[in-house]
Amino acid sequence: MTLSSRNTPNSCQELISVVVPVYQVEPYLFECVESIRAQTYRNLEIILVDDGSTDGGPAICDGFKRRDDRITVIHQANRGLSAARNAGIESAHGEWLAFVDGDDVLSPNHLADLWRAIDEEGADVAACRFVSFVDGSKAAFPEATGRLEAVSGLEALRRMVYDEPIRLVTAWGKLYRRSLWNEIVFPVGKRHEDEFTVHRTYLGARRIALSDTVTYGYRQRSGSMMDAPERRDLQDKVEAFLSRIADVERCRDGQLDRLLWHRVWRLVQRGMLESSVGGDRLCQRWFRRQAGALLSRPVAIRHAGSRNLMGALLLLALPPTVVRRLNRLRQASQT
């Protein structure tokens, strides 16, 4: 029996593999998986990747597997979100691939709407809008608009920098042709793993379909990775943007180059300021090295802008003690 034949009423539908990393999300996992099982697009392979959870998540995964033959469970030692997603991708049999975080939820038509966008626009990737909801509340999905837009991979890369109103930088909230991920892996040990990878699917896609309909629910909860910003986040984000710049060099698009280099300069300045104010000497040295490297690259200077360039030079010239004193004076003037 083939996977696609499991759902005889929808046997003409192409198989979509849905990868769900599971780590310490026991209070949310049931709602998440039920929202996937309830999709109106029925021909699914649901891959739950238990990344060494020590709560009740692994047992919940196994319980779902017994109740739904569309579900596969992978148990592995804890290696992080990237490793969990990579394991799911390796196990996927579908021609199409989607990612859902284990504490998020989907509207019933999420995958059907993304598939419609793929089909109508002849696209290799489809993306939707999302709604944020706080822990303890329910995701409220507004009525579907039905509006679609198709853009090139290059245009998607430009819009990705600003990431609104459709969050193009995240792996979730998308439907991808599986083959786009053949040579792409999420970087193990890095935060902002999506920023190292998703742009590469746009480089390989013929068209990206953008749906104006909100069908993905993103849960904001205290203690989650994205709710705990640290200076290491900034370091990884700088590395991600530099990686993206290297990947898009062959596009030779001046507008995209300016957008990306501008963001790198802003991130490096922010890192120098925050590490100086926080007294983190290791981070200070790291961001100062990055600033020095930028100043040694003509292309980085060309796209810096005078404000970014002067800001970086000033932060490099001033001792961290002076930066901390100036920051205290600034804060005092605002009270």
Side-chain angles (χ1 to χ4, degrees), residues 76-113:
Q76 63 181 35
N78 176 243
R79 294 180 59 213
L81 176 61
S82 287
R85 284 179 173 167
N86 290 339
I89 294 170
E90 290 175 8
S91 299
H93 297 88
E95 187 173 345
W96 300 91
L97 188 65
F99 299 97
V100 181
D101 285 353
D103 53 356
D104 293 341
V105 296
L106 307 179
S107 79
N109 292 319
H110 173 70
L111 292 171
D113 283 352

mmCIF file of all heavy atoms in Angstrom, residues 76-113:
data_model
loop_
_atom_site.group_PDB
_atom_site.id
_atom_site.type_symbol
_atom_site.label_atom_id
_atom_site.label_comp_id
_atom_site.label_asym_id
_atom_site.label_seq_id
_atom_site.Cartn_x
_atom_site.Cartn_y
_atom_site.Cartn_z
ATOM 1 N N GLN A 76 14.655 10.467 19.304
ATOM 2 C CA GLN A 76 16.102 10.642 19.215
ATOM 3 C C GLN A 76 16.603 11.421 20.427
ATOM 4 O O GLN A 76 15.830 12.081 21.125
ATOM 5 C CB GLN A 76 16.480 11.380 17.926
ATOM 6 C CG GLN A 76 15.948 12.795 17.830
ATOM 7 C CD GLN A 76 16.330 13.470 16.514
ATOM 8 O OE1 GLN A 76 16.409 12.832 15.464
ATOM 9 N NE2 GLN A 76 16.580 14.776 16.567
ATOM 10 N N ALA A 77 17.906 11.327 20.672
ATOM 11 C CA ALA A 77 18.517 12.096 21.756
ATOM 12 C C ALA A 77 18.420 13.586 21.438
ATOM 13 O O ALA A 77 18.387 13.976 20.258
ATOM 14 C CB ALA A 77 19.978 11.682 21.938
ATOM 15 N N ASN A 78 18.385 14.394 22.475
ATOM 16 C CA ASN A 78 18.219 15.837 22.280
ATOM 17 C C ASN A 78 19.420 16.442 21.567
ATOM 18 O O ASN A 78 20.554 16.365 22.037
ATOM 19 C CB ASN A 78 18.025 16.518 23.632
ATOM 20 C CG ASN A 78 17.944 18.032 23.501
ATOM 21 O OD1 ASN A 78 18.770 18.757 24.021
ATOM 22 N ND2 ASN A 78 16.946 18.514 22.762
ATOM 23 N N ARG A 79 19.133 17.046 20.401
ATOM 24 C CA ARG A 79 20.176 17.733 19.633
ATOM 25 C C ARG A 79 19.699 19.098 19.139
ATOM 26 O O ARG A 79 20.413 19.786 18.436
ATOM 27 C CB ARG A 79 20.619 16.880 18.443
ATOM 28 C CG ARG A 79 21.325 15.587 18.832
ATOM 29 C CD ARG A 79 21.730 14.802 17.609
ATOM 30 N NE ARG A 79 22.618 15.581 16.754
ATOM 31 C CZ ARG A 79 22.654 15.492 15.426
ATOM 32 N NH1 ARG A 79 21.831 14.672 14.791
ATOM 33 N NH2 ARG A 79 23.505 16.224 14.729
ATOM 34 N N GLY A 80 18.475 19.469 19.466
ATOM 35 C CA GLY A 80 17.995 20.786 19.096
ATOM 36 C C GLY A 80 17.018 20.759 17.929
ATOM 37 O O GLY A 80 16.845 19.742 17.239
ATOM 38 N N LEU A 81 16.392 21.927 17.714
ATOM 39 C CA LEU A 81 15.354 22.053 16.696
ATOM 40 C C LEU A 81 15.856 21.700 15.304
ATOM 41 O O LEU A 81 15.169 21.016 14.531
ATOM 42 C CB LEU A 81 14.804 23.482 16.715
ATOM 43 C CG LEU A 81 13.764 23.849 15.664
ATOM 44 C CD1 LEU A 81 12.524 22.970 15.801
ATOM 45 C CD2 LEU A 81 13.386 25.329 15.780
ATOM 46 N N SER A 82 17.056 22.163 14.954
ATOM 47 C CA SER A 82 17.580 21.897 13.611
ATOM 48 C C SER A 82 17.717 20.400 13.359
ATOM 49 O O SER A 82 17.317 19.891 12.308
ATOM 50 C CB SER A 82 18.939 22.577 13.424
ATOM 51 O OG SER A 82 18.801 23.974 13.285
ATOM 52 N N ALA A 83 18.291 19.681 14.314
ATOM 53 C CA ALA A 83 18.484 18.243 14.148
ATOM 54 C C ALA A 83 17.152 17.518 14.053
ATOM 55 O O ALA A 83 17.011 16.550 13.286
ATOM 56 C CB ALA A 83 19.314 17.684 15.308
ATOM 57 N N ALA A 84 16.149 17.981 14.807
ATOM 58 C CA ALA A 84 14.830 17.351 14.750
ATOM 59 C C ALA A 84 14.200 17.551 13.382
ATOM 60 O O ALA A 84 13.641 16.616 12.783
ATOM 61 C CB ALA A 84 13.936 17.922 15.843
ATOM 62 N N ARG A 85 14.274 18.755 12.857
ATOM 63 C CA ARG A 85 13.725 19.001 11.527
ATOM 64 C C ARG A 85 14.466 18.213 10.460
ATOM 65 O O ARG A 85 13.862 17.668 9.534
ATOM 66 C CB ARG A 85 13.776 20.499 11.212
ATOM 67 C CG ARG A 85 12.704 21.326 11.922
ATOM 68 C CD ARG A 85 12.865 22.772 11.566
ATOM 69 N NE ARG A 85 11.790 23.612 12.064
ATOM 70 C CZ ARG A 85 11.833 24.931 12.089
ATOM 71 N NH1 ARG A 85 12.907 25.573 11.624
ATOM 72 N NH2 ARG A 85 10.824 25.639 12.559
ATOM 73 N N ASN A 86 15.799 18.162 10.575
ATOM 74 C CA ASN A 86 16.577 17.405 9.594
ATOM 75 C C ASN A 86 16.174 15.931 9.589
ATOM 76 O O ASN A 86 16.062 15.313 8.521
ATOM 77 C CB ASN A 86 18.074 17.528 9.901
ATOM 78 C CG ASN A 86 18.617 18.925 9.631
ATOM 79 O OD1 ASN A 86 18.025 19.695 8.873
ATOM 80 N ND2 ASN A 86 19.721 19.262 10.256
ATOM 81 N N ALA A 87 15.944 15.365 10.775
ATOM 82 C CA ALA A 87 15.515 13.968 10.863
ATOM 83 C C ALA A 87 14.158 13.786 10.195
ATOM 84 O O ALA A 87 13.917 12.776 9.512
ATOM 85 C CB ALA A 87 15.463 13.531 12.323
ATOM 86 N N GLY A 88 13.264 14.748 10.386
ATOM 87 C CA GLY A 88 11.951 14.675 9.749
ATOM 88 C C GLY A 88 12.040 14.748 8.241
ATOM 89 O O GLY A 88 11.346 14.001 7.518
ATOM 90 N N ILE A 89 12.886 15.645 7.738
ATOM 91 C CA ILE A 89 13.057 15.774 6.289
ATOM 92 C C ILE A 89 13.585 14.472 5.696
ATOM 93 O O ILE A 89 13.118 14.001 4.655
ATOM 94 C CB ILE A 89 14.010 16.942 5.957
ATOM 95 C CG1 ILE A 89 13.391 18.280 6.367
ATOM 96 C CG2 ILE A 89 14.344 16.958 4.466
ATOM 97 C CD1 ILE A 89 14.358 19.453 6.290
ATOM 98 N N GLU A 90 14.562 13.866 6.357
ATOM 99 C CA GLU A 90 15.150 12.623 5.854
ATOM 100 C C GLU A 90 14.125 11.497 5.786
ATOM 101 O O GLU A 90 14.222 10.607 4.925
ATOM 102 C CB GLU A 90 16.326 12.208 6.749
ATOM 103 C CG GLU A 90 17.539 13.114 6.628
ATOM 104 C CD GLU A 90 18.628 12.741 7.624
ATOM 105 O OE1 GLU A 90 18.476 11.689 8.291
ATOM 106 O OE2 GLU A 90 19.614 13.493 7.730
ATOM 107 N N SER A 91 13.134 11.539 6.681
ATOM 108 C CA SER A 91 12.134 10.473 6.729
ATOM 109 C C SER A 91 10.918 10.746 5.846
ATOM 110 O O SER A 91 10.054 9.876 5.701
ATOM 111 C CB SER A 91 11.661 10.272 8.174
ATOM 112 O OG SER A 91 12.735 9.900 9.007
ATOM 113 N N ALA A 92 10.835 11.940 5.280
ATOM 114 C CA ALA A 92 9.635 12.333 4.538
ATOM 115 C C ALA A 92 9.534 11.602 3.201
ATOM 116 O O ALA A 92 10.512 11.503 2.459
ATOM 117 C CB ALA A 92 9.638 13.844 4.318
ATOM 118 N N HIS A 93 8.326 11.116 2.905
ATOM 119 C CA HIS A 93 8.055 10.448 1.632
ATOM 120 C C HIS A 93 7.252 11.319 0.654
ATOM 121 O O HIS A 93 7.108 10.963 -0.508
ATOM 122 C CB HIS A 93 7.271 9.153 1.867
ATOM 123 C CG HIS A 93 8.008 8.131 2.665
ATOM 124 N ND1 HIS A 93 7.968 8.085 4.043
ATOM 125 C CD2 HIS A 93 8.827 7.119 2.271
ATOM 126 C CE1 HIS A 93 8.710 7.079 4.464
ATOM 127 N NE2 HIS A 93 9.249 6.475 3.425
ATOM 128 N N GLY A 94 6.701 12.407 1.145
ATOM 129 C CA GLY A 94 5.825 13.224 0.322
ATOM 130 C C GLY A 94 6.558 14.035 -0.727
ATOM 131 O O GLY A 94 7.749 14.315 -0.595
ATOM 132 N N GLU A 95 5.831 14.414 -1.766
ATOM 133 C CA GLU A 95 6.389 15.317 -2.774
ATOM 134 C C GLU A 95 6.384 16.748 -2.271
ATOM 135 O O GLU A 95 7.075 17.612 -2.801
ATOM 136 C CB GLU A 95 5.589 15.219 -4.071
ATOM 137 C CG GLU A 95 6.208 15.995 -5.216
ATOM 138 C CD GLU A 95 5.515 15.763 -6.544
ATOM 139 O OE1 GLU A 95 4.733 14.797 -6.645
ATOM 140 O OE2 GLU A 95 5.765 16.547 -7.481
ATOM 141 N N TRP A 96 5.606 16.999 -1.206
ATOM 142 C CA TRP A 96 5.491 18.330 -0.630
ATOM 143 C C TRP A 96 5.801 18.260 0.858
ATOM 144 O O TRP A 96 5.575 17.230 1.507
ATOM 145 C CB TRP A 96 4.100 18.919 -0.877
ATOM 146 C CG TRP A 96 3.810 19.017 -2.338
ATOM 147 C CD1 TRP A 96 3.209 18.069 -3.121
ATOM 148 C CD2 TRP A 96 4.187 20.087 -3.210
ATOM 149 N NE1 TRP A 96 3.172 18.488 -4.432
ATOM 150 C CE2 TRP A 96 3.764 19.729 -4.519
ATOM 151 C CE3 TRP A 96 4.813 21.311 -3.024
ATOM 152 C CZ2 TRP A 96 3.964 20.550 -5.616
ATOM 153 C CZ3 TRP A 96 5.017 22.134 -4.119
ATOM 154 C CH2 TRP A 96 4.591 21.759 -5.401
ATOM 155 N N LEU A 97 6.317 19.370 1.394
ATOM 156 C CA LEU A 97 6.831 19.378 2.760
ATOM 157 C C LEU A 97 6.351 20.620 3.498
ATOM 158 O O LEU A 97 6.345 21.720 2.937
ATOM 159 C CB LEU A 97 8.365 19.361 2.711
ATOM 160 C CG LEU A 97 9.149 19.190 4.005
ATOM 161 C CD1 LEU A 97 8.888 17.806 4.605
ATOM 162 C CD2 LEU A 97 10.645 19.377 3.723
ATOM 163 N N ALA A 98 5.947 20.425 4.750
ATOM 164 C CA ALA A 98 5.536 21.541 5.603
ATOM 165 C C ALA A 98 6.117 21.329 6.991
ATOM 166 O O ALA A 98 6.367 20.186 7.409
ATOM 167 C CB ALA A 98 4.012 21.644 5.676
ATOM 168 N N PHE A 99 6.329 22.440 7.707
ATOM 169 C CA PHE A 99 6.837 22.387 9.070
ATOM 170 C C PHE A 99 5.834 23.053 10.005
ATOM 171 O O PHE A 99 5.277 24.112 9.687
ATOM 172 C CB PHE A 99 8.176 23.126 9.192
ATOM 173 C CG PHE A 99 9.269 22.559 8.323
ATOM 174 C CD1 PHE A 99 9.553 23.124 7.088
ATOM 175 C CD2 PHE A 99 10.010 21.464 8.736
ATOM 176 C CE1 PHE A 99 10.551 22.609 6.278
ATOM 177 C CE2 PHE A 99 11.020 20.937 7.938
ATOM 178 C CZ PHE A 99 11.288 21.511 6.707
ATOM 179 N N VAL A 100 5.625 22.421 11.149
ATOM 180 C CA VAL A 100 4.767 22.991 12.189
ATOM 181 C C VAL A 100 5.497 22.847 13.511
ATOM 182 O O VAL A 100 5.943 21.747 13.861
ATOM 183 C CB VAL A 100 3.401 22.269 12.266
ATOM 184 C CG1 VAL A 100 2.528 22.903 13.357
ATOM 185 C CG2 VAL A 100 2.688 22.312 10.919
ATOM 186 N N ASP A 101 5.642 23.925 14.269
ATOM 187 C CA ASP A 101 6.256 23.827 15.589
ATOM 188 C C ASP A 101 5.275 23.180 16.557
ATOM 189 O O ASP A 101 4.058 23.380 16.473
ATOM 190 C CB ASP A 101 6.665 25.209 16.091
ATOM 191 C CG ASP A 101 7.911 25.732 15.384
ATOM 192 O OD1 ASP A 101 8.522 24.960 14.620
ATOM 193 O OD2 ASP A 101 8.275 26.903 15.594
ATOM 194 N N GLY A 102 5.798 22.422 17.508
ATOM 195 C CA GLY A 102 4.974 21.595 18.367
ATOM 196 C C GLY A 102 4.073 22.324 19.339
ATOM 197 O O GLY A 102 3.235 21.687 19.992
ATOM 198 N N ASP A 103 4.215 23.643 19.445
ATOM 199 C CA ASP A 103 3.318 24.418 20.311
ATOM 200 C C ASP A 103 2.401 25.344 19.517
ATOM 201 O O ASP A 103 1.677 26.151 20.110
ATOM 202 C CB ASP A 103 4.111 25.239 21.340
ATOM 203 C CG ASP A 103 5.192 26.107 20.716
ATOM 204 O OD1 ASP A 103 5.390 26.023 19.477
ATOM 205 O OD2 ASP A 103 5.847 26.862 21.452
ATOM 206 N N ASP A 104 2.418 25.218 18.199
ATOM 207 C CA ASP A 104 1.575 26.061 17.353
ATOM 208 C C ASP A 104 0.333 25.287 16.888
ATOM 209 O O ASP A 104 0.202 24.085 17.148
ATOM 210 C CB ASP A 104 2.365 26.565 16.141
ATOM 211 C CG ASP A 104 3.466 27.537 16.539
ATOM 212 O OD1 ASP A 104 3.391 28.093 17.646
ATOM 213 O OD2 ASP A 104 4.403 27.729 15.745
ATOM 214 N N VAL A 105 -0.566 25.980 16.197
ATOM 215 C CA VAL A 105 -1.794 25.345 15.714
ATOM 216 C C VAL A 105 -2.085 25.817 14.291
ATOM 217 O O VAL A 105 -1.630 26.878 13.867
ATOM 218 C CB VAL A 105 -3.010 25.660 16.615
ATOM 219 C CG1 VAL A 105 -2.815 25.075 18.009
ATOM 220 C CG2 VAL A 105 -3.271 27.155 16.686
ATOM 221 N N LEU A 106 -2.884 25.005 13.590
ATOM 222 C CA LEU A 106 -3.280 25.325 12.222
ATOM 223 C C LEU A 106 -4.785 25.496 12.142
ATOM 224 O O LEU A 106 -5.539 24.835 12.859
ATOM 225 C CB LEU A 106 -2.871 24.200 11.270
ATOM 226 C CG LEU A 106 -1.414 23.737 11.290
ATOM 227 C CD1 LEU A 106 -1.227 22.602 10.289
ATOM 228 C CD2 LEU A 106 -0.467 24.888 10.995
ATOM 229 N N SER A 107 -5.220 26.368 11.238
ATOM 230 C CA SER A 107 -6.637 26.395 10.900
ATOM 231 C C SER A 107 -6.939 25.144 10.074
ATOM 232 O O SER A 107 -6.036 24.579 9.442
ATOM 233 C CB SER A 107 -6.988 27.657 10.108
ATOM 234 O OG SER A 107 -6.600 27.513 8.759
ATOM 235 N N PRO A 108 -8.190 24.678 10.056
ATOM 236 C CA PRO A 108 -8.500 23.435 9.328
ATOM 237 C C PRO A 108 -8.132 23.468 7.850
ATOM 238 O O PRO A 108 -7.840 22.431 7.264
ATOM 239 C CB PRO A 108 -10.014 23.291 9.517
ATOM 240 C CG PRO A 108 -10.307 24.022 10.791
ATOM 241 C CD PRO A 108 -9.357 25.189 10.804
ATOM 242 N N ASN A 109 -8.113 24.650 7.243
ATOM 243 C CA ASN A 109 -7.855 24.748 5.806
ATOM 244 C C ASN A 109 -6.417 25.161 5.478
ATOM 245 O O ASN A 109 -6.125 25.498 4.328
ATOM 246 C CB ASN A 109 -8.812 25.760 5.164
ATOM 247 C CG ASN A 109 -10.242 25.260 5.181
ATOM 248 O OD1 ASN A 109 -10.500 24.084 4.942
ATOM 249 N ND2 ASN A 109 -11.178 26.153 5.479
ATOM 250 N N HIS A 110 -5.543 25.127 6.464
ATOM 251 C CA HIS A 110 -4.178 25.616 6.253
ATOM 252 C C HIS A 110 -3.513 24.957 5.046
ATOM 253 O O HIS A 110 -3.084 25.637 4.104
ATOM 254 C CB HIS A 110 -3.348 25.371 7.513
ATOM 255 C CG HIS A 110 -1.897 25.684 7.363
ATOM 256 N ND1 HIS A 110 -1.412 26.966 7.225
ATOM 257 C CD2 HIS A 110 -0.796 24.867 7.315
ATOM 258 C CE1 HIS A 110 -0.094 26.942 7.115
ATOM 259 N NE2 HIS A 110 0.305 25.681 7.158
ATOM 260 N N LEU A 111 -3.414 23.649 5.049
ATOM 261 C CA LEU A 111 -2.711 22.959 3.962
ATOM 262 C C LEU A 111 -3.500 22.975 2.666
ATOM 263 O O LEU A 111 -2.912 23.058 1.578
ATOM 264 C CB LEU A 111 -2.383 21.535 4.391
ATOM 265 C CG LEU A 111 -1.341 21.435 5.516
ATOM 266 C CD1 LEU A 111 -1.229 20.011 6.029
ATOM 267 C CD2 LEU A 111 0.020 21.946 5.045
ATOM 268 N N ALA A 112 -4.825 22.926 2.755
ATOM 269 C CA ALA A 112 -5.642 23.008 1.540
ATOM 270 C C ALA A 112 -5.467 24.358 0.864
ATOM 271 O O ALA A 112 -5.372 24.436 -0.374
ATOM 272 C CB ALA A 112 -7.113 22.773 1.881
ATOM 273 N N ASP A 113 -5.411 25.431 1.643
ATOM 274 C CA ASP A 113 -5.229 26.760 1.068
ATOM 275 C C ASP A 113 -3.842 26.900 0.439
ATOM 276 O O ASP A 113 -3.687 27.492 -0.641
ATOM 277 C CB ASP A 113 -5.417 27.836 2.142
ATOM 278 C CG ASP A 113 -6.874 28.071 2.474
ATOM 279 O OD1 ASP A 113 -7.742 27.521 1.775
ATOM 280 O OD2 ASP A 113 -7.151 28.815 3.445
#
